Amino acid sequence: MFVRIVKMSFHEDKVDAFLDNFHEVKQHIRNYPGNRFLELYRDKDNPSVFFTYSYWENESDLENYRKSELFNEVWAFTKQLFNDKPQAWSVDKLVMLE
């Protein structure tokens, strides 16, 4: 399992459109085969910057999602709202303390 972190920056007047769409599709993304966890974070200093944080079983599950109709629809809508190029990282979780 690995973690995928995506940073997205939106035009200020497009934030509500992003949030509305995210709330419509979040369960579909979360229930996509191989996805084990999904959260959305908002930057404390810049309310137009968001991060998704998701757990994937393996890289092929993420790649299958990225090639899916669901991703294509979500991304086609979302990328119109950006005010900067998104950034993404795939990382391995080394330690978790509870």
Side-chain angles (χ1 to χ4, degrees):
M1 185 170 351
F2 71 99
V3 179
R4 181 72 167 181
I5 303 165
V6 180
K7 177 184 179 185
M8 300 169 288
S9 182
F10 297 97
H11 292 283
E12 197 172 309
D13 63 336
K14 304 296 184 187
V15 167
D16 287 341
F18 164 70
L19 289 172
D20 288 346
N21 189 64
F22 183 83
H23 290 300
E24 287 181 26
V25 299
K26 64 186 177 187
Q27 284 302 127
H28 298 292
I29 298 169
R30 171 55 190 88
N31 292 324
Y32 199 84
N35 184 286
R36 298 293 172 245
F37 182 83
L38 176 64
E39 287 187 327
L40 177 66
Y41 303 112
R42 187 179 218 167
D43 188 271
K44 284 190 130 334
D45 297 321
N46 184 343
S48 296
V49 174
F50 292 82
F51 300 83
T52 57
Y53 185 83
S54 56
Y55 294 177
W56 294 87
E57 281 295 321
N58 55 59
E59 290 185 42
S60 63
D61 291 326
L62 175 60
E63 286 307 309
N64 288 338
Y65 167 67
R66 293 182 68 210
K67 293 176 184 173
S68 72
E69 184 176 331
L70 172 61
F71 176 83
N72 288 333
E73 290 174 7
V74 170
W75 201 245
F77 177 83
T78 305
K79 69 182 180 181
Q80 301 174 72
L81 311 176
F82 292 144
N83 69 0
D84 199 2
K85 183 179 177 184
Q87 297 176 298
W89 300 269
S90 292
V91 299
D92 292 320
K93 183 187 300 191
L94 299 181
V95 177
M96 181 175 166
L97 303 173
E98 291 194 35

